[in-house]
């Protein structure tokens, strides 16, 4: 009979799916948050209200509920219009991207307000178009200011991928469940999964701190 140790390569492969899902969700969320933050600070009161409602709603919803609603809602929609269903991975990516995007939007909004107004006003004064002001001045400074918070958000997203197992994504936690069933040793299976998560989190934390140190030089 196989022991949990024999399944370590199988468990290690699960972190690839976790990092892929977490990384792609983070990129989607950051892109959405950045765009909404720029729109929020250059729009009418009505648009600002809509963005504020989006942030409030998705920051209040439990992530597990969001992923379940997205997965089963997408199935209901695709079957009603006769198109292929979203894969569990795609549904999880959509759910995480939209929900984590609400946090990223707030992070970028705070970063935008911290950008020195004088730099933006000077760029406008010399006739630089608004989109160039954003691309050349606002966005680079926003990314620099938001880097610490974005690094922490990435760690949160990687850990959140564990709940994607609820809709069948075979990431690390789901593989630990499978190994637990095969070996009848849940403590060892989930213990190894926890150790792998800790190792990945440690690596990302070191990378984040080095990046922050580099930006301070």
């Amino acid at each position: 009979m196989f022991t949990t140790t024999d399944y370590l390569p199988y468990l290690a492969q699960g972190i690839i799916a976790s990092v892929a899902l977490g990384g792609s969700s983070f990129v989607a969320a950051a892109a959405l948050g950045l765009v909404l933050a720029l729109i929020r600070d250059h729009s009418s009161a009505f648009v600002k209200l809509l963005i504020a409602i989006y942030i409030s709603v998705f920051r209040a919803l439990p992530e597990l509920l969001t992923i379940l609603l997205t997965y089963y809602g997408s199935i209901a929609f695709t079957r009603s219009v006769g198109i292929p269903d979203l894969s569990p991975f795609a549904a999880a990516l959509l759910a995480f991207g939209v929900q984590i995007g609400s946090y990223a939007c707030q992070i970028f909004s705070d970063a935008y307000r911290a950008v020195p107004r004088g730099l933006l006003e000077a760029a406008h004064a010399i006739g630089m178009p608004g989109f160039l002001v954003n691309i050349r001045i606002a966005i680079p400074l926003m990314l620099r200011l938001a880097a610490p918070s974005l690094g922490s958000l990435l760690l949160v997203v990687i850990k959140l991928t564990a709940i994607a197992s609820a809709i069948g994504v075979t990431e690390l936690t789901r593989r630990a469940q499978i190994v637990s069933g095969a070996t009848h040793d849940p403590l060892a299976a989930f213990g190894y999964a926890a150790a792998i998560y800790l190792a990945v989190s440690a690596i990302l934390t070191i990378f984040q701190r080095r990046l922050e140190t580099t930006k301070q030089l």
Side-chain angles (χ1 to χ4, degrees), residues 30-43:
L32 176 61
L34 178 60
V35 170
L36 290 180
L38 292 172
I39 293 174
R40 186 184 191 183
D41 288 283
H42 297 86
S43 59

Side-chain angles (χ1 to χ4, degrees), residues 21-135:
L21 176 57
S24 55
S25 298
F26 174 78
V27 171
L32 176 61
L34 178 60
V35 170
L36 290 180
L38 292 172
I39 293 174
R40 186 184 191 183
D41 288 283
H42 297 86
S43 59
S44 64
F46 177 70
V47 174
K48 290 181 179 178
L49 176 62
L50 291 179
I51 295 176
I53 292 173
Y54 156 72
I55 293 174
S56 298
V57 168
F58 281 99
R59 291 181 72 174
L61 284 175
E63 287 79 6
L64 179 58
L65 181 59
T66 300
I67 200 171
L68 290 173
L69 286 173
T70 302
Y71 180 61
Y72 292 111
S74 68
I75 290 177
F77 173 76
T78 55
R79 292 182 180 178
S80 67
V81 297
I83 60 177
D85 294 341
L86 285 179
S87 67
F89 186 96
L93 172 59
L94 176 61
F96 287 140
V98 172
Q99 183 153 26
I100 304 304
S102 64
Y103 293 90
C105 179
Q106 191 61 54
I107 290 172
F108 282 121
S109 292
D110 293 340
Y112 184 80
R113 285 191 285 270
V115 173
R117 297 296 96 182
L119 292 176
L120 303 180
E121 292 170 359
H124 286 295
I126 63 174
M128 185 178 293
F131 74 95
L132 279 181
V133 174
N134 287 332
I135 293 174

